[in-house]
Amino acid sequence: MEKYPFTIPDVLLSSNAPGARPMPVIGLGTSADPLDPVAMKLSVIEAIRLGYRHFDTAPLYGSEVPLGEVLAEAIRLGLVASREELFITTKLWCSDNHVDRVIPAIQNSIRNLQLDYLDLYLIHWPISCKPGTYAYPVDEEDLMPMDFKAVWAAMEECQRLGLTKSIGVSNFSCKKLETILGFATIPPSVNQVEMNPVWQQKKLREFCLANNIFITAFSPLGGSGTSWGTNLVMENEILREIAKAQEKTIAQSFNKERLRENLEIFDWELSEDDHEKISRIPQKKTMLMEKFASPKGPYKSVEELWDGEI
């Protein structure tokens, strides 16, 4: 089998099922705006050759089926020895955030991905919407409160049944996490959230660290070029100065060279002065909830829906 040049460190998640594979700390997301399945497949093959083993998808992205196809091809070609080398994450969409829809939803994702199980299954957003709808943004008339206890119990059942090795959440605030932790028998292992130098989420990071919840960041470069993203990270002068001094790029993206650059981070480190400069970058949330939906009905405002933590 071809030798790939990079070895990515991994971490053992707190609530893994026995024998679960640790999670590689760098993964490749498959959300694109718009999605080009052919380009995505080529990027995944190149990523595997470079050493990536963690791939993130979701029903909403429309990338589960092409990702499943290219992973099966990679195994057939011997680019990975077996499925056990891979770490695959997908998510439960809002329209399936209902107790009777969780297990059918994960089973459908597993079929789409041509797998026997997932490594990590996340609740995509902490709200529910009308069953059977897969749209973004969500129509405001379709939004409804989520039964956190019932849905999380169904997530736990997914892990007990062996459909996934670990469970977690995405886009959850501290208050929403406190709700889950209040009744969980299997606590969430991961909270995947927007996080980057211009939205560092110090309070949430401290909360998750204290509760043994691993944070994974989406759009760590700001999601430039997407409908939800911003250029604020890539165009930040402080980051440009640090990158120039370190002889690196800010982006360290279905792009062959950037896929490689993203892995060239383990043989150098930022100085204390660099960390201090980054900590002073003005903070601005880029994925505003108004882009998700502006709810009516049971909520008076977006702030009420999101606990005022948007």
Side-chain angles (χ1 to χ4, degrees), residues 10-31:
D10 50 34
V11 293
L12 188 63
L13 299 178
S14 59
S15 299
N16 266 350
R21 186 210 195 287
M23 183 178 73
V25 298
I26 294 181
L28 180 66
T30 59
S31 174

Side-chain angles (χ1 to χ4, degrees), residues 221 233-236 239-241 243 248-252 261:
L221 304 177
V233 176
M234 300 297 288
E235 296 178 356
N236 185 272
L239 297 178
R240 286 182 171 181
E241 291 173 7
K248 298 291 181 180
T249 65
I250 294 176
Q252 272 292 82
E261 288 177 354

Side-chain angles (χ1 to χ4, degrees), residues 235-280:
E235 296 178 356
N236 185 272
E237 285 302 319
I238 291 175
L239 297 178
R240 286 182 171 181
E241 291 173 7
I242 293 172
K244 183 178 180 180
Q246 294 279 2
E247 298 183 342
K248 298 291 181 180
T249 65
I250 294 176
Q252 272 292 82
S253 80
F254 294 162
N255 177 298
K256 181 177 179 178
E257 191 55 36
R258 289 214 175 145
L259 286 171
R260 178 179 292 274
E261 288 177 354
N262 289 343
L263 300 185
E264 294 175 339
I265 64 171
F266 300 111
D267 58 352
W268 65 281
E269 60 184 21
L270 296 171
S271 68
E272 289 186 14
D273 185 53
D274 291 336
H275 281 287
E276 175 61 24
K277 289 177 180 177
I278 292 172
S279 72
R280 296 200 302 267

Side-chain angles (χ1 to χ4, degrees), residues 284-297:
K284 178 179 176 61
K285 184 173 181 62
T286 59
M287 193 173 188
L288 298 176
M289 294 305 102
E290 284 84 349
K291 296 179 183 179
F292 185 87
S294 182
K296 295 180 181 178

Side-chain angles (χ1 to χ4, degrees), residues 19-265:
R21 186 210 195 287
M23 183 178 73
V25 298
I26 294 181
L28 180 66
T30 59
S31 174
D33 186 23
L35 176 69
D36 180 341
V38 174
M40 191 211 79
K41 287 182 177 181
L42 292 173
S43 295
V44 169
I45 288 292
E46 182 60 29
I48 288 173
R49 292 183 188 276
L50 289 169
Y52 287 80
R53 292 296 181 267
H54 181 178
F55 297 94
D56 180 285
T57 181
L60 185 71
Y61 305 163
S63 59
E64 285 186 337
V65 170
L67 179 59
E69 292 171 349
V70 72
L71 293 178
E73 180 71 1
I75 293 172
R76 188 186 69 79
L77 293 174
L79 297 177
V80 290
S82 68
R83 186 269 180 262
E84 285 68 33
E85 281 192 22
L86 301 169
F87 190 99
I88 308 302
T89 300
T90 191
K91 305 174 188 77
L92 178 74
W93 183 239
C94 304
S95 57
D96 291 319
N97 277 352
H98 305 275
V99 64
D100 59 333
R101 298 183 65 89
V102 176
I103 290 178
I106 191 174
Q107 290 172 331
N108 188 60
S109 288
I110 290 171
R111 283 192 297 270
N112 287 343
L113 288 160
Q114 302 184 38
L115 301 175
D116 295 322
Y117 65 90
L118 303 174
D119 295 280
L120 179 61
Y121 195 48
L122 306 176
I123 297 175
H124 205 154
W125 288 90
I127 57 171
S128 296
C129 66
K130 182 180 177 181
T133 58
Y134 291 86
Y136 175 87
V138 177
D139 289 339
E140 57 190 33
E141 294 84 1
D142 291 338
L143 289 174
M144 58 186 65
M146 177 177 161
D147 186 340
F148 286 93
K149 189 171 185 178
V151 171
W152 188 253
M155 293 286 288
E156 293 179 339
E157 186 65 10
C158 291
Q159 182 167 327
R160 293 191 184 99
L161 291 172
L163 299 172
T164 182
K165 298 296 185 181
S166 193
I167 52 178
V169 297
S170 181
N171 301 297
F172 271 54
S173 66
C174 295
K175 290 182 180 180
K176 291 287 197 296
L177 286 171
E178 283 180 332
T179 297
I180 296 289
L181 292 172
F183 47 70
T185 59
I186 303 176
S189 291
V190 166
N191 185 21
Q192 184 180 118
V193 296
E194 177 191 355
M195 187 174 292
N196 54 62
V198 302
W199 189 244
Q200 298 173 24
Q201 301 237 57
K202 181 179 179 181
K203 178 184 175 183
L204 183 63
R205 285 189 286 119
E206 291 174 348
F207 180 91
C208 288
L209 181 62
N211 288 279
N212 211 16
I213 299 171
F214 197 87
I215 285 186
T216 58
F218 69 76
S219 299
L221 304 177
S224 179
T226 66
S227 61
W228 64 85
T230 178
N231 295 327
L232 290 175
V233 176
M234 300 297 288
E235 296 178 356
N236 185 272
E237 285 302 319
I238 291 175
L239 297 178
R240 286 182 171 181
E241 291 173 7
I242 293 172
K244 183 178 180 180
Q246 294 279 2
E247 298 183 342
K248 298 291 181 180
T249 65
I250 294 176
Q252 272 292 82
S253 80
F254 294 162
N255 177 298
K256 181 177 179 178
E257 191 55 36
R258 289 214 175 145
L259 286 171
R260 178 179 292 274
E261 288 177 354
N262 289 343
L263 300 185
E264 294 175 339
I265 64 171

